[in-house]
Amino acid sequence: VTEAAVSDPVPSWSGVPYLTASELEHLYSVEEFEPLAKERMTPTAYGFIAGWAGSGATTQANRAAFWRHVLLPRVLVNVETIDPVTTVLGNPISLPVMFAPSGYQRLAHPHGEMATARASVEVGTTMILSTSANTSIEDIGAVARNPWYQLYWLTDEELNREMVQRAESAGFRAIALTVDATAPLWRENEMRNPAEIPPGVLSVNTYDRAVKIAPNLTWKTLDRLRSWTKMAIVLKGVVTAEDARIAVDNGVEGLIVSNHGGRALDWAITSMDALPEVVEAVDGRLEVYMDGGVRRGTDVLKALALGARAVLIGRPVLWGIGTGGEAGIVRMMALIRGELTSVMGLCGAPTVAQISRDMVARRQDVVA
Ligand SMILES: Cc1cc2nc3c(=O)[nH]c(=O)nc-3n(C[C@H](O)[C@H](O)[C@H](O)COP(=O)(O)O)c2cc1C
């Protein structure tokens, strides 16, 4: 997909036209995008994006966890200037919300990852490109600013090394090694209705090799990855203090507290519940991020109060491109930014550094 093609209007997979920039202005919450995106995809593509493992308990619980956390605002703080700018791995981002890696983004919009990359630049945040992307590492590297590459450790070790070195050459800043999906996944909806992949939509960075996620990835494997690259290594999918301590001992630069949006282990601990113990275990020795169910500015503030440096959003990115391509994500992010700015001010934390642990409390009286 060329730069020019990306700004051209393109028909959606279902034929329902994408929202125009002025129509997008009439959307006011992230949730409103989901049904609009659904109308513009094929049913099986929507099923793949919405999908979960097993009973769906983990996916549901990720959202419900935010309902159990409430805000304790501090008052009489000067909030004339409120700015959610921060850094991840030393690189500035305009707000602490990054784009999670998700495979096959062209199922959500024909421009796929290229639209996401361009939106990430416009928004001023970091995009993480999936191993199962439909766009080449080099094309994203040419557009995105300080992107990260998500690595599924595959059985083909040469291919792993090739992907890592291509990412480094293309200007990627970090490898996010996904560690929570090395055993076969149990997804009933995908068994029932496998996603139909349109011709030409390929996992372009791996497609010419036999691709299988390696079930024998262990802590020892990290040394090999480290020997191939100077990029930072971030582990995606750590949810216990024990593993967080081992990660610190192994010298990784970051952890993403994540249960894969509930798409891997059913009945896993929620990211919000796992976050405090991981943050405590690493004790400032590396950066901790989280994802899973983040949909609102308040969710971002709650996660940061529990010690996350930044959060990632997965499905909302796909709802954004699925509704209006690049402009859809930009609008969706403007809403998250707007609400985050408001609640930072209302909580008496006009900068990210002022968001503190005592601004969030758990309540037990809500089951959502
Ligand atoms: C359609 C889809 C594809 C995904 N593909 C990947 C992937 O290739 N690698 C990965 O590490 N995580 C993948 N994820 C998980 C996301 O990176 C992220 O952890 C999760 O979506 C966060 O939860 P949320 O969707 O509730 O925001 C995928 C998620 C979705 C929705």
Side-chain angles (χ1 to χ4, degrees):
V1 182
T2 63
E3 289 238 353
V6 165
S7 44
D8 288 344
V10 67
S12 74
W13 293 117
S14 73
V16 176
Y18 289 116
L19 265 57
T20 62
S22 58
E23 287 167 341
L24 287 164
E25 293 294 313
H26 298 288
L27 301 183
Y28 296 100
S29 72
V30 171
E31 283 91 349
E32 283 167 74
F33 286 74
E34 182 176 7
L36 296 167
K38 183 179 180 182
E39 281 172 18
R40 289 162 177 80
M41 300 175 192
T42 65
T44 61
Y46 173 74
F48 165 67
I49 289 166
W52 50 76
S55 70
T58 308
T59 303
Q60 256 184 39
N62 276 345
R63 256 325 280 151
F66 287 101
W67 286 78
R68 277 187 276 104
H69 290 86
V70 291
L71 297 170
L72 280 68
R74 299 300 306 273
V75 298
L76 299 178
V77 176
N78 183 337
V79 292
E80 274 176 300
T81 311
I82 308 167
D83 190 346
V85 68
T86 189
T87 63
V88 284
L89 300 173
N91 298 121
I93 50 176
S94 76
L95 80 171
V97 181
M98 301 189 276
F99 296 164
S102 60
Y104 278 82
Q105 293 194 359
R106 287 188 61 197
L107 296 180
H109 185 285
H111 294 155
E113 294 83 6
M114 191 53 87
T116 305
R118 292 171 61 96
S120 75
V121 173
E122 201 165 329
V123 168
T125 193
T126 296
M127 162 187 184
I128 309 176
L129 185 71
S130 166
T131 288
S132 316
N134 305 130
T135 309
S136 82
I137 292 170
E138 289 74 18
D139 284 355
I140 294 303
V143 170
R145 206 171 296 145
N146 302 319
W148 299 3
Y149 190 70
Q150 178 267 327
L151 186 67
Y152 278 129
W153 192 265
L154 305 177
T155 50
D156 182 339
E157 192 116 336
E158 267 315 298
L159 180 52
N160 294 331
R161 186 214 275 262
E162 181 189 302
M163 288 190 288
V164 168
Q165 292 179 343
R166 282 174 63 194
E168 184 155 26
S169 307
F172 283 66
R173 295 301 161 137
I175 292 293
L177 179 69
T178 298
V179 295
D180 63 4
T182 58
L185 304 180
W186 187 261
R187 292 190 190 153
E188 292 160 22
N189 187 41
E190 280 177 31
M191 297 181 218
R192 217 174 275 124
N193 299 304
E196 297 141 338
I197 312 293
V201 175
L202 302 166
S203 175
V204 289
N205 297 306
T206 63
Y207 78 103
D208 56 346
R209 312 271 184 92
V211 170
K212 187 175 177 303
I213 294 180
N216 58 349
L217 174 69
T218 68
W219 292 104
K220 290 201 190 95
T221 319
L222 289 182
D223 293 340
R224 217 139 66 237
L225 174 58
R226 179 70 77 192
S227 74
W228 297 339
T229 178
K230 293 197 165 42
M231 286 184 286
I233 296 173
V234 173
L235 302 183
K236 178 170 182 283
V238 169
V239 292
T240 64
E242 290 79 3
D243 282 341
R245 278 189 218 102
I246 303 173
V248 170
D249 293 342
N250 277 273
V252 307
E253 280 80 4
L255 294 179
I256 304 172
V257 174
S258 172
N259 52 36
H260 219 107
R263 302 168 68 82
L265 176 64
D266 195 13
W267 293 103
I269 186 170
T270 71
S271 305
M272 282 294 279
D273 291 313
L275 185 57
E277 68 173 84
V278 169
V279 167
E280 194 188 335
V282 309
D283 195 21
R285 289 171 290 181
L286 47 74
E287 294 190 349
V288 179
Y289 321 100
M290 72 79 76
D291 74 18
V294 175
R295 304 290 180 262
R296 313 200 65 97
T298 45
D299 300 336
V300 180
L301 192 138
K302 289 174 189 178
L304 265 61
L306 293 184
R309 177 99 198 159
V311 303
L312 284 56
I313 50 172
R315 294 179 187 85
V317 168
L318 303 166
W319 303 338
I321 47 173
T323 300
E326 176 190 342
I329 305 189
V330 171
R331 175 65 182 166
M332 190 261 306
M333 289 297 285
L335 298 171
I336 295 180
R337 172 192 292 281
E339 189 180 31
L340 174 61
T341 307
S342 165
V343 297
M344 283 171 68
L346 292 170
C347 286
T351 65
V352 162
Q354 284 163 284
I355 298 173
S356 61
R357 184 69 184 82
D358 54 11
M359 286 175 186
V360 73
R362 286 177 72 112
R363 67 175 197 196
Q364 306 296 344
D365 61 318
V366 173
V367 180

